[in-house]
Amino acid sequence: MSLSDSETSYGGGGGSDYKPFRHISRDRLLYEMLRSAKSADSKAWKVLIMDKVTVKVMSHSCKMADITDQEVSLVEDLFRRRQPLPSLDAVYFIQPSKENVVMFLSDMSGREPLYKKAYIFFSSPIPKELVNHIKCDTSVLPRIGALREMNLEYFPIDSQGFITDQDTALQELYGNVDNIRRFNTYLNNMAIRIATVFASLKELPHIYYRSAKESDESAPTVSRELVPTKLADAVWDMVSKYKSTIPKFPQSETCDLLIVDRSVDQIAPVIHEWTYDAMCHDLLDMEGNKYIHEVASKTGGPPEEKEVVLEEHDSVWLELRHSHIADASERLHEKFTTFVSKNKAAQMQQSGRDGGEISTRDLQKMVQALPQYTEQVEKISLHVEIAGKINTIIRDAALRELGQLEQDLVFGDAAAKDVINFLRTKQNTTPEYKLRLLMIYASVYPEKFEGDKGLKLMQLAKLSPDDMKVISNMQLLAGSSTKKASAAGAFSLKFSNQKTTQAARKDRTDEEEETWSLFRFYPVVEELIESLNKGELPKGEYACKNEPIPVPKGNSARNSKSTQIAPAPTAPPHSMRSRRTANWAKSRTSDDGYSSDSTLKNVAADFKKMGKRIFVFIIGGATRSELRVCHKMTTKLRREVILGTTSMDDPSQYLTKLKLLCDSRATVTPDGLGI
């Protein structure tokens, strides 16, 4: 028995084994864990046993077919009563908790263990006392084939995104934090899961984080402002230990990590984002990535409900997800036309509908083309239906006018009179949409919500006290201000160190011709990634745990490091800063009308030439627009940009979380948050 870690080297920074992020997660689980769990005298098939967390980890990375391909005949829950299978080996993929270890020992101790041999893989580092607890059971030791730390406890949601699956992060860390022990435990769990990303990828990050704002010296620092700082400390402690415990782990920094919280951009979670992906999750009744639609019954009965998952295995979704909804609709129409013109079965069926005779030979060709016809027509029809539903909602809810006002506010082209006029004339707008509009207005014009001004606006919008609480709770995320409130009970929203007067974003429309309207908005994360890439993060707002060594004058530290690894693109110069068009999401259409538009697939051939990875972690939830930006910036910067967050939130989910925030202003000194 040996306690060891991964020996597979994936390395970043353009190494020979450089692989896409999600690919590495899947490979480690299938090959490094499941395939390695075998001995010469064992039968081929084995049992896989997991707890609630590791089941989620596995399901986010692998399909059931992938698992059975690794000779797993049965998947079991650690805490459910299980049938003894003494002739089979078992693979335990579990968290290193006392409860899990006790259950494992119960399975494998005594005269009649449940399984022949056990291969134990822990999702994160195991405390020494638990290792000693296992070693003390002499009946179990000979039955252990491996005891290893997999260090894989994150949840990939995309080829360039992961979550730590902590839905309550806003409430736990930014609400009532009187319970410091609970606060620390929650933050530590977050740090552990983030750190296992770097363990899996064999990356040692430069850790940048949004530092706490300066506050009045007479008042203790508000705990919520220290969250990014404390998380950066905890992640650095974890990855520093990996240097000495994981074989072949890099001893010097290989990538960049930027830690921010939701306060960095409170507009992105609520503004209407006009891409196909964002519109699906914002406007349709979806559960995660699952969409339910009606299909014709094969038996001739009433329509049946069918559940589909909108993920990267769907080539049409992959191509269109980051396109403007108008662009997606146009391309779907083109796809269907192209498909019919090239597919025999579709042509024959169309001919029959037009009243033409179908010959026996034509029927034979149609039958031969049917399998492909059925599968492809289902895919295209599904997305035509979804896009049609979205366009109907946009029209019925008059979303174009609302979306225009939202973006005009963000870019300084609208003011109070425009908001008031909209609220007066658009009485039928849903309360959620009116609330989201006022949240954007409060972010851009915080002074308009001082005193009773905000109350009057909420009354004009006919919003409930619960909705009003959402606006006031935005202050909890905004951080403290040295300015005193102008009146008793009033608040002043402060969203950045720079005072916002007319606009929350700089318009970049002069850099590229506009193709689609309502495509001006871009999340703050885009500018942060660009600044990090150039080594130009504002020193007063962002600190670094392990500051890079300065380089000779004339070159910034970040620029120098990037250019050493990432060769300059040979393509003609092109602005990295434009979001007006959907050009970065345009398809490479194949002959059958399909294309695969994954950013990483497009650059797969040059993957080894890509520069160091950039990781951005957002505490308190991220948005579809921020995930889209990471795909976009990967192509622009030729550095794989990976988004991490506590949860991926749609606008309605974010509003619910803000409503749950507590108004308690618990404060602690920095030393009181030792992790």
Side-chain angles (χ1 to χ4, degrees), residues 400-413:
R400 285 190 181 90
E401 187 176 346
L402 174 59
Q404 189 67 59
L405 177 55
E406 289 176 347
Q407 300 213 12
D408 285 347
L409 276 173
V410 170
F411 289 97
D413 299 328

Side-chain angles (χ1 to χ4, degrees), residues 376-390:
Q376 294 188 349
V377 117
E378 278 183 1
K379 277 187 180 179
I380 298 179
S381 296
L382 167 68
H383 290 284
V384 167
E385 175 191 318
I386 293 173
K389 275 190 179 180
I390 290 171

Side-chain angles (χ1 to χ4, degrees), residues 98-306:
K98 186 176 181 180
E99 295 79 11
N100 286 356
V101 168
V102 167
M103 282 299 297
F104 156 69
L105 292 175
S106 172
D107 289 350
M108 297 304 297
S109 61
R111 290 184 178 181
E112 297 180 356
L114 292 187
Y115 311 105
K116 183 178 180 181
K117 214 169 192 67
Y119 296 82
I120 307 101
F121 298 87
F122 292 107
S123 58
S124 55
I126 179 171
K128 286 183 180 179
E129 58 267 24
L130 289 183
V131 176
N132 293 333
H133 189 46
I134 294 170
K135 288 180 177 179
C136 287
D137 195 325
T138 53
S139 66
V140 171
L141 282 180
R143 297 166 184 162
I144 295 178
L147 185 66
R148 295 175 58 185
E149 291 174 346
M150 273 299 286
N151 286 319
L152 203 164
E153 201 176 294
Y154 53 90
F155 309 84
I157 53 164
D158 181 86
S159 59
Q160 289 173 242
F162 71 92
I163 59 173
T164 57
D165 197 30
Q166 293 173 299
D167 251 342
T168 57
L170 279 183
Q171 194 173 1
E172 294 286 347
L173 303 178
Y174 295 88
N176 187 343
V177 290
D178 285 328
N179 189 332
I180 299 302
R181 185 175 179 181
R182 180 171 171 173
F183 178 98
N184 286 343
T185 301
Y186 198 90
L187 208 59
N188 263 321
N189 289 337
M190 193 182 297
I192 287 168
R193 291 180 179 178
I194 295 169
T196 65
V197 173
F198 298 102
S200 279
L201 272 58
K202 295 287 177 64
E203 295 268 26
L204 181 63
H206 279 295
I207 301 179
Y208 298 86
Y209 58 95
R210 196 176 197 211
S211 45
K213 299 183 182 113
E214 292 181 7
S215 57
D216 189 341
E217 290 181 7
S218 63
T221 307
V222 178
S223 60
R224 66 185 63 88
E225 290 187 21
L226 288 166
V227 174
T229 306
K230 290 300 171 183
L231 183 60
D233 290 343
V235 172
W236 176 244
D237 287 346
M238 292 287 298
V239 295
S240 297
K241 289 172 186 173
Y242 289 152
K243 292 169 70 174
S244 58
T245 57
I246 297 181
K248 300 179 183 176
F249 195 82
Q251 299 300 299
S252 58
E253 288 77 1
T254 59
C255 65
D256 294 322
L257 165 64
L258 174 61
I259 296 174
V260 296
D261 62 16
R262 194 60 271 168
S263 70
V264 79
D265 185 354
Q266 295 208 65
I267 296 175
V270 293
I271 194 170
H272 282 90
E273 162 83 356
W274 290 78
T275 57
Y276 186 44
D277 179 8
M279 283 269 154
C280 282
H281 288 89
D282 188 359
L283 304 184
L284 303 180
D285 186 18
M286 291 177 61
E287 184 183 333
N289 289 334
K290 294 176 184 175
Y291 174 75
I292 297 174
H293 68 127
E294 287 189 345
V295 294
S297 172
K298 293 179 181 177
T299 59
E304 300 171 351
E305 285 193 344
K306 183 178 179 181

Side-chain angles (χ1 to χ4, degrees), residues 213-506:
K213 299 183 182 113
E214 292 181 7
S215 57
D216 189 341
E217 290 181 7
S218 63
T221 307
V222 178
S223 60
R224 66 185 63 88
E225 290 187 21
L226 288 166
V227 174
T229 306
K230 290 300 171 183
L231 183 60
D233 290 343
V235 172
W236 176 244
D237 287 346
M238 292 287 298
V239 295
S240 297
K241 289 172 186 173
Y242 289 152
K243 292 169 70 174
S244 58
T245 57
I246 297 181
K248 300 179 183 176
F249 195 82
Q251 299 300 299
S252 58
E253 288 77 1
T254 59
C255 65
D256 294 322
L257 165 64
L258 174 61
I259 296 174
V260 296
D261 62 16
R262 194 60 271 168
S263 70
V264 79
D265 185 354
Q266 295 208 65
I267 296 175
V270 293
I271 194 170
H272 282 90
E273 162 83 356
W274 290 78
T275 57
Y276 186 44
D277 179 8
M279 283 269 154
C280 282
H281 288 89
D282 188 359
L283 304 184
L284 303 180
D285 186 18
M286 291 177 61
E287 184 183 333
N289 289 334
K290 294 176 184 175
Y291 174 75
I292 297 174
H293 68 127
E294 287 189 345
V295 294
S297 172
K298 293 179 181 177
T299 59
E304 300 171 351
E305 285 193 344
K306 183 178 179 181
E307 183 182 279
V308 291
V309 181
L310 301 179
E311 283 188 343
E312 292 170 333
H313 63 269
D314 179 342
S315 58
V316 181
W317 171 256
L318 195 63
E319 176 190 343
L320 299 178
R321 59 181 177 169
H322 295 152
S323 304
H324 189 286
I325 183 61
D327 185 27
S329 300
E330 282 187 12
R331 284 156 70 177
L332 279 167
H333 177 73
E334 290 169 9
K335 272 183 177 302
F336 193 78
T337 306
T338 305
F339 174 71
V340 170
S341 68
K342 292 178 181 285
N343 188 281
K344 292 290 182 187
Q347 289 172 20
M348 296 303 106
Q349 191 179 67
Q350 193 64 44
S351 175
R353 283 177 181 168
D354 295 342
E357 293 282 336
I358 300 179
S359 67
T360 306
R361 188 173 179 181
D362 286 339
L363 277 172
Q364 189 178 9
K365 288 180 180 177
M366 182 174 173
V367 170
Q368 289 170 349
L370 271 177
Q372 180 195 20
Y373 168 74
T374 305
E375 181 186 346
Q376 294 188 349
V377 117
E378 278 183 1
K379 277 187 180 179
I380 298 179
S381 296
L382 167 68
H383 290 284
V384 167
E385 175 191 318
I386 293 173
K389 275 190 179 180
I390 290 171
N391 284 316
T392 300
I393 294 170
I394 290 171
R395 184 180 63 251
D396 292 349
L399 276 185
R400 285 190 181 90
E401 187 176 346
L402 174 59
Q404 189 67 59
L405 177 55
E406 289 176 347
Q407 300 213 12
D408 285 347
L409 276 173
V410 170
F411 289 97
D413 299 328
K417 62 179 182 180
D418 303 289
V419 175
I420 292 168
N421 183 55
F422 181 89
L423 294 176
R424 280 178 176 160
T425 58
K426 304 295 179 183
Q427 296 288 334
N428 292 332
T429 304
T430 66
E432 180 187 312
Y433 291 170
K434 287 189 281 189
L435 176 59
R436 286 163 64 174
L437 175 65
L438 286 180
M439 290 171 74
I440 296 167
Y441 184 45
S443 299
V444 182
Y445 294 96
E447 70 278 2
K448 300 294 184 183
F449 282 75
E450 291 177 349
D452 62 352
K453 295 176 189 175
L455 181 62
K456 288 178 179 177
L457 277 169
M458 302 295 265
Q459 288 171 344
L460 176 62
K462 296 180 180 176
L463 296 178
S464 68
D466 263 2
D467 292 329
M468 294 170 69
K469 186 179 178 184
V470 171
I471 299 273
S472 63
N473 279 349
M474 291 171 72
Q475 182 194 19
L476 293 178
L477 299 183
S480 63
S481 173
T482 53
K483 295 179 182 179
K484 293 182 178 179
S486 57
F491 64 84
S492 174
L493 291 168
K494 185 183 177 187
F495 295 90
S496 69
N497 288 345
Q498 294 178 340
K499 187 181 178 184
T500 305
T501 53
Q502 297 294 324
R505 300 286 189 279
K506 288 184 292 183

